[in-house]
Amino acid sequence: MKFFKIIILIVFMCLFVRQAEAQTFYEHEVSLSAGLFQLRSDYGISNDSETNFGNQGVAFSLNYYYNTAARRSASYFQQHFKYRLNLSYSTVNLEHFGPDADDPRLASMEGSYDNFSIGNGFEYYPLGIKIRRIYSSNFLDNFSPYGGMAFGVNFVTPDATSSLPGGLGNPDNVFPTFLSESSSNGIDLENLVSLSLNFQLGARYKINDKSDIFLESSWMFFDSDFVDGLSPVGPQNKNDDWSWGINVGYTYIFF
């Protein structure tokens, strides 16, 4: 199943690259970004600020953009959309927060999440992508808000430990939420490949003819509840894991 997911992504990316090569007027861009990252998972309490800021890590990203706005007969799509390929790495240390966190089984438990992600999608610029992208002394002329959507493949490494004698291998050290009478317990620390649906909202500001800086907020919704290694057993567990991040970056434009 993991291999099948990877093949789907590779085919999807090749289709876009093949289409891009068929264009004669184009523009390439590369950006680097870094920022804060929060994993909204089964550590702590949902929609709790202590949990969200306590389980906060960092993320780094390398992005490639392609657009055909310079075409003399550019369509609406070409004037307002850019193709984006994203490679990112995010990491965070995890612990439990909330009213139950004083329980020794939760207080002694710590985890971590590392994710190498490949994303493939589009960015939409409602104000349009300027044909010549020339720097202007007018602030508004250099300002470009955008939104984006992409599909991602995530190579996730979760981990969890307990400082109690016997660690998590001793059922007495595991909080009941993560135990079941069946063999499908709520802890699985195997590496996994997870698909995701990614969204971005951001704004660019041009600092010269070939350089932009940007601020971006992003959301990633996984198709698995085990990206943190935990999945509470029972009907109370209604949502898969997801993440939120905010980052700043620099873009260089190749004409």
Side-chain angles (χ1 to χ4, degrees), residues 43-55:
Y43 282 86
I45 301 176
S46 299
N47 302 317
D48 175 68
S49 59
E50 182 184 19
T51 296
N52 296 335
F53 286 99
N55 291 326

Side-chain angles (χ1 to χ4, degrees), residues 186-239:
I187 299 179
D188 186 349
L189 303 179
E190 293 292 326
N191 296 351
L192 77 153
V193 177
S194 174
L195 298 178
S196 64
L197 185 60
N198 311 333
F199 298 93
Q200 303 89 29
L201 283 178
R204 287 189 178 206
Y205 183 78
K206 177 167 289 301
I207 57 177
N208 58 51
D209 287 345
K210 289 192 175 183
S211 300
D212 294 352
I213 55 175
F214 64 88
L215 176 68
E216 179 179 281
S217 182
S218 61
W219 296 261
M220 183 179 294
F221 298 90
F222 301 99
D223 71 342
S224 170
D225 195 38
F226 275 107
V227 298
D228 62 345
L230 305 181
S231 181
V233 177
Q236 77 279 7
N237 186 18
K238 299 179 180 180
N239 301 311

Side-chain angles (χ1 to χ4, degrees), residues 103-124:
D103 187 293
R105 292 166 293 188
L106 294 180
S108 61
M109 185 179 182
E110 294 181 345
S112 65
Y113 159 96
D114 294 279
N115 180 22
F116 176 77
S117 176
I118 303 173
N120 189 66
F122 289 94
E123 287 183 353
Y124 171 66

Side-chain angles (χ1 to χ4, degrees), residues 129-218:
I129 304 169
K130 296 182 179 179
I131 292 178
R132 295 190 178 276
R133 300 183 56 82
I134 296 176
Y135 173 77
S136 172
S137 58
N138 187 324
F139 171 82
L140 292 180
D141 287 341
N142 299 317
F143 179 74
S144 298
Y146 65 88
M149 185 181 75
F151 295 98
V153 174
N154 305 273
F155 302 87
V156 183
T157 303
D159 193 20
T161 60
S162 173
S163 60
L164 295 175
L168 295 176
N170 183 351
D172 293 334
N173 298 339
V174 180
F175 197 69
T177 301
F178 305 111
L179 291 174
S180 171
E181 295 180 357
S182 70
S183 60
S184 301
N185 288 333
I187 299 179
D188 186 349
L189 303 179
E190 293 292 326
N191 296 351
L192 77 153
V193 177
S194 174
L195 298 178
S196 64
L197 185 60
N198 311 333
F199 298 93
Q200 303 89 29
L201 283 178
R204 287 189 178 206
Y205 183 78
K206 177 167 289 301
I207 57 177
N208 58 51
D209 287 345
K210 289 192 175 183
S211 300
D212 294 352
I213 55 175
F214 64 88
L215 176 68
E216 179 179 281
S217 182
S218 61

